[in-house]
Amino acid sequence: MIVILALLSAFFLFAGSIKLFGWQKFIFETRFAMFVKYGLNRRIMALVGLVELFGAVAIWDRSSWLGPLGALALLGTSLGAIVCHLVWDTWKEGVPAMVTATLSAILLWSGHGALLAALVRTRAGATPT
């Protein structure tokens, strides 16, 4: 499991930080052009970067609901990327997102009990821990 955590965290720290801060100019411009092609703007790109950074950090907290929530965030961004690539590009551009979606789903499944327990406690009026 630690290998999956490390791979996802490294990938999304890199990808999210570029989307949010634009520190690697060539990759930022290439990704931004893709967002524009998909009908999305810079704010959406920054939001995706924030979600990716949140997920990359949160997945390390395996003792509470935060880890599975981070995995869910990464799964959501990966699925969104897959849809965009399949609609506007070719499936080949979506392969990295397919890999990250699969790994995120494995993490989510392995910790889904903590997330579900937190949701049940919240619905019952208790504070999630």
Side-chain angles (χ1 to χ4, degrees):
M1 200 58 66
I2 193 80
V3 173
I4 293 173
L5 285 166
L7 287 171
L8 281 174
S9 190
F11 179 86
F12 282 109
L13 282 172
F14 182 74
S17 66
I18 291 174
K19 287 180 183 84
L20 192 58
F21 303 116
W23 60 270
Q24 212 297 331
K25 188 174 177 148
F26 176 75
I27 296 174
F28 174 81
E29 290 174 353
T30 303
R31 294 294 166 231
F32 183 59
M34 291 173 80
F35 270 73
V36 169
K37 182 168 90 173
Y38 304 156
L40 305 171
N41 60 28
R42 175 68 181 108
R43 287 185 181 176
I44 299 297
M45 185 176 177
L47 180 63
V48 169
L50 275 173
V51 171
E52 290 175 344
L53 289 176
F54 164 76
V57 173
I59 59 174
W60 288 96
D61 185 0
R62 305 302 296 158
S63 63
S64 75
W65 56 271
L66 197 57
L69 186 63
L72 183 61
L74 298 181
L75 178 59
T77 59
S78 297
L79 292 175
I82 291 169
V83 169
C84 287
H85 288 303
L86 291 177
V87 171
W88 286 283
D89 298 320
T90 67
W91 68 271
K92 293 176 189 175
E93 281 84 11
V95 169
M98 293 173 196
V99 171
T100 59
T102 302
L103 295 177
S104 299
I106 291 168
L107 280 185
L108 178 59
W109 184 255
S110 72
H112 76 283
L115 187 57
L116 291 175
L119 289 171
V120 168
R121 281 192 303 273
T122 301
R123 287 191 47 91
T127 307
T129 56

